[in-house]
Amino acid sequence: MVLTERQLLILQIIIDDFIRSAQPVGSRTLAKKSEITFSSATIRNEMADLEDLGYIEKTHSSSGRVPSEKGYRYYVDHLLAPSTQILTEVDILAMRSVFAERMYGLEKLVKRSAKILSELTNYTSIVLGPLVNETKLRSIQMLPLDDDTVLSLIVTDKGHVEKSVVKIPTPLDKTELERFVATLNARLIGVPLVELKTRMYEEVNDVIHSKIENYASILETIVSNMNKNEKSSLIVSGKTNMLSQPEFNDIDKVRAFMRAIDKEADFYNVLRKNQQGVHVTIGHENELHGIKDCSLITATYTNNGEPLGTIAILGPTRMEYSRVISMLNLLANEFSQWHEKQ
Amino acid sequence: MVLTERQLLILQIIIDDFIRSAQPVGSRTLAKKSEITFSSATIRNEMADLEDLGYIEKTHSSSGRVPSEKGYRYYVDHLLAPSTQILTEVDILAMRSVFAERMYGLEKLVKRSAKILSELTNYTSIVLGPLVNETKLRSIQMLPLDDDTVLSLIVTDKGHVEKSVVKIPTPLDKTELERFVATLNARLIGVPLVELKTRMYEEVNDVIHSKIENYASILETIVSNMNKNEKSSLIVSGKTNMLSQPEFNDIDKVRAFMRAIDKEADFYNVLRKNQQGVHVTIGHENELHGIKDCSLITATYTNNGEPLGTIAILGPTRMEYSRVISMLNLLANEFSQWHEKQ
DNA sequence: ATTTAGCACTCGACACACAAGAGTGCTAAC
DNA sequence: GTTAGCACTCTTGTGTGTCGAGTGCTAAAT
């Protein structure tokens, strides 16, 4: 059964109102709205139908109605004012400012966007920087710190630096190290980071065998470090913002949420698998347990159509979907453009 | 007026018991303890005196007693079982394991100790890595990324790397850049990082003047970046642990605490000025507003007597002072030893 | 055939009263 | 100086009553 015009109108107003007020909305409140030309009794009848269909719920038998997750889903899919200009000038300027300023380095850009986003929305923002498989090796450097310690740096073409401090078993021959590094660089520059681990062994295997065990040990450490740091480009900003949302007046919800958001690795996995475009995941649609009361909106940004990274906002299910989606769209665009200029 | 033996005993038991149970302790509960040989009526009299003196408080007129901040202060200063072996084998092994393992790099060590500490105590731990003024320049590297972008790396003798991506106004001459870097390295290696900013200008001023403006711009960025990153060696672990402490059942306290702990810069300032040794700051003794319900225990670790960094635990005023102090002492010692071995 | 007015009913929120229990302070006896 | 005893205080939990917002249903109005 499909919804009538009037039911859609009522559903829309209920959700809009609830998003604003966080209070269950009753038939009298609705009847006062200027869009509504019929009486509260009619509204009650329609609301009863909407409830039977699962779009709205009561918090108790004589309360006003609250959107269900199904209701939000319908709202997001069909009712969202399509491409209406929701953002204020202030919002737009704030976001553009991140890119307008002469910025140095992608990592800062990611951090700053996350911050702006969480400040503007008062939700929690999560930004995933470019995935490692997009970047290529720019240079490998090794600097001896002591007799038995080497600092190795892996620099990518995007200006990212992975460092690892390696302890080596036998004392170091400096010129030999230099030759080793030169070999590595000669053979590996330009290799995508994601292939680096395997290529490293392939390309330099013969060289290593002819040398002492030091180099095997160094490579071992570098490779194992790369695994760990893959996830480092995840920035979470505004973790405490959710505390000011009324749905988090319950201490147990706060606990669950904070615990969930502390496990950044989980979010990494969720965000990484995101397809292109904007996606909204509402309440129990989320895989992660701690955020079943929340909605997650994600947007990917691209470089020439290739997905590079993800921007996301985590808020209560009662989220300002329309505004947040517009913001993410804008920001993802700016990101993509920024990348193409690089 | 000085406290009698018996009052001390009572104060001690009250505090010990309250630290365990988080419940106000009454005269009957006390009388049941095996250490106590006198009746609950006597205890009531003594408790009235202790209250007049400000060491304990009532939560309401007919409640049991709770330690006041003055009480905790006295407890920490005079009553703490001096160097009794509080730590369990498990605690000790867990902490040693951080150092026992073949660890790479100070930064990881700092992170791992913070983690262990917060896990063992179930409080929040804060570890401040070696202050920048201890470390010296090991090497400066500059790698051109594009025509107008240079990645500059500052490597310290402790293996720490500061990177900054610099956009430069005029296209780059690669050999000239190499000469510039060589000059920088020749003149600046071994300079303490804290002096680097000024020395950088002094030493290379003449060189810069004879070259194009690129180099001034590069130095500018590096220097301004160093300022920001000075604070990066602060690791906070277990932020959400406090949520399981009963004193944080109040949502407003949670909010205040989370907000406070999110401002890492504040903690940096507090920890940086710490004198050598272990320090306990109780409740309102803390300068920071959000943690007036908390106690902060800090310990510095040293290298040949020179203070290097700080380890701290932030918990409720009802903290296991004795255990935490022992743990910090142990860990600070391990840290100092580790440094000396380097 | 819809829409609406009217009304009985439900439930949460709040205030109040009451009892039980833990703990105190004080007094008088030991 | 110590203790037993007792009246008193305050919290906590439970039950009761009232108020108001909101619903569902019925019957009348359009």
Side-chain angles (χ1 to χ4, degrees), chain A residues 44-193:
Chain A
R44 281 200 291 281
N45 289 328
E46 297 285 30
M47 290 205 297
D49 291 348
L50 282 172
E51 185 171 3
D52 288 342
L53 295 169
Y55 294 107
I56 54 181
E57 292 166 348
K58 287 189 276 195
T59 60
H60 59 87
S61 72
S62 73
S63 77
R65 300 309 208 288
V66 156
S68 68
E69 290 184 5
K70 183 176 174 188
Y72 282 122
R73 170 52 60 202
Y74 194 92
Y75 176 83
V76 168
D77 288 345
H78 303 108
L79 258 35
L80 227 46
S83 79
T84 308
Q85 187 59 43
I86 308 278
L87 302 179
T88 65
E89 278 300 311
V90 181
D91 288 345
I92 296 173
L93 287 178
M95 282 185 288
R96 292 245 161 91
S97 79
V98 176
F99 297 85
E101 202 175 299
R102 195 167 159 238
M103 285 288 297
Y104 311 120
L106 178 62
E107 269 147 284
K108 276 200 190 152
L109 198 66
V110 169
K111 260 188 204 164
R112 293 213 15 189
S113 347
K115 184 143 178 283
I116 284 277
L117 215 41
S118 65
E119 280 169 4
L120 288 180
T121 59
N122 210 27
Y123 304 132
T124 302
S125 74
I126 309 170
V127 180
L128 185 62
L131 299 176
V132 79
N133 44 333
E134 277 305 308
T135 57
K136 292 172 182 158
L137 181 68
R138 166 71 186 70
S139 148
I140 295 183
Q141 309 261 314
M142 298 208 186
L143 306 167
L145 294 176
D146 298 306
D147 276 2
D148 64 347
T149 321
V150 175
L151 172 69
S152 74
L153 302 176
I154 295 195
V155 184
T156 73
D157 59 347
K158 296 283 196 297
H160 180 75
V161 182
E162 289 289 350
K163 71 185 153 179
S164 24
V165 179
V166 190
K167 285 230 185 281
I168 50 176
T170 35
L172 193 83
D173 183 317
K174 209 178 155 192
T175 57
E176 206 173 66
L177 179 71
E178 274 167 21
R179 255 185 297 147
F180 175 60
V181 173
T183 314
L184 281 181
N185 274 313
R187 304 203 183 187
L188 293 175
I189 282 181
V191 168
L193 242 57

Side-chain angles (χ1 to χ4, degrees), chain B residues 101-298:
Chain B
E101 200 174 301
R102 195 167 159 237
M103 284 288 296
Y104 312 116
L106 179 62
E107 268 147 282
K108 276 203 190 149
L109 198 66
V110 170
K111 260 188 206 164
R112 292 213 15 187
S113 353
K115 183 140 178 283
I116 283 279
L117 214 42
S118 65
E119 279 170 4
L120 288 180
T121 58
N122 210 28
Y123 304 133
T124 302
S125 75
I126 309 170
V127 180
L128 185 61
L131 300 176
V132 78
N133 44 332
E134 277 304 309
T135 56
K136 292 173 183 156
L137 181 67
R138 165 69 186 72
S139 147
I140 294 182
Q141 309 261 317
M142 298 206 187
L143 306 167
L145 294 177
D146 297 304
D147 276 0
D148 64 345
T149 323
V150 174
L151 172 68
S152 74
L153 302 174
I154 295 195
V155 185
T156 73
D157 60 347
K158 296 283 197 295
H160 181 75
V161 181
E162 288 289 350
K163 72 184 153 180
S164 22
V165 179
V166 190
K167 284 231 184 285
I168 51 175
T170 35
L172 193 84
D173 182 316
K174 208 176 159 195
T175 59
E176 205 173 65
L177 179 70
E178 273 168 19
R179 256 186 295 147
F180 174 60
V181 174
T183 316
L184 281 180
N185 275 313
R187 305 204 183 186
L188 292 175
I189 283 181
V191 169
L193 241 57
V194 75
E195 295 173 29
L196 192 58
K197 294 175 212 171
T198 46
R199 289 286 293 275
M200 225 177 213
Y201 286 117
E202 277 172 30
E203 292 282 347
V204 295
N205 224 355
D206 45 335
V207 190
I208 290 176
H209 276 310
S210 67
K211 311 269 169 175
I212 35 173
E213 56 177 334
N214 272 352
Y215 303 120
S217 147
I218 294 179
L219 285 190
E220 195 59 56
T221 317
I222 295 177
V223 166
S224 80
N225 256 7
M226 279 178 54
N227 269 332
K228 284 185 210 151
N229 289 336
E230 255 176 23
K231 304 182 178 175
S232 66
S233 59
L234 185 83
I235 305 287
V236 181
S237 183
K239 291 184 189 181
T240 55
N241 282 2
M242 299 293 263
L243 292 175
S244 52
Q245 299 293 341
E247 22 272 287
F248 286 84
N249 273 346
D250 180 1
I251 187 90
D252 288 321
K253 281 190 184 164
V254 173
R255 279 195 246 267
F257 177 78
M258 285 295 170
R259 297 258 152 81
I261 213 165
D262 249 23
K263 288 211 223 157
E264 301 202 339
D266 290 350
F267 284 94
Y268 180 81
N269 290 328
V270 169
L271 294 191
R272 195 179 45 172
K273 69 171 75 146
N274 254 115
Q275 315 286 8
Q276 208 148 337
V278 174
H279 291 270
V280 181
T281 331
I282 297 165
H284 287 78
E285 295 170 11
N286 283 299
E287 292 169 21
L288 264 51
H289 267 82
I291 60 168
K292 299 277 187 196
D293 297 322
C294 300
S295 285
L296 182 70
I297 308 187
T298 66

Side-chain angles (χ1 to χ4, degrees), chain A residues 238-280:
Chain A
K239 291 184 191 182
T240 55
N241 282 2
M242 300 292 265
L243 292 175
S244 52
Q245 299 293 340
E247 22 271 288
F248 286 84
N249 273 345
D250 180 0
I251 187 89
D252 289 320
K253 282 191 185 162
V254 172
R255 278 195 247 268
F257 177 78
M258 285 295 170
R259 297 258 152 81
I261 211 165
D262 249 22
K263 288 213 224 155
E264 302 204 339
D266 290 349
F267 284 94
Y268 180 81
N269 290 329
V270 170
L271 293 191
R272 196 179 43 173
K273 70 171 75 145
N274 252 117
Q275 315 287 8
Q276 207 148 336
V278 173
H279 291 271
V280 181

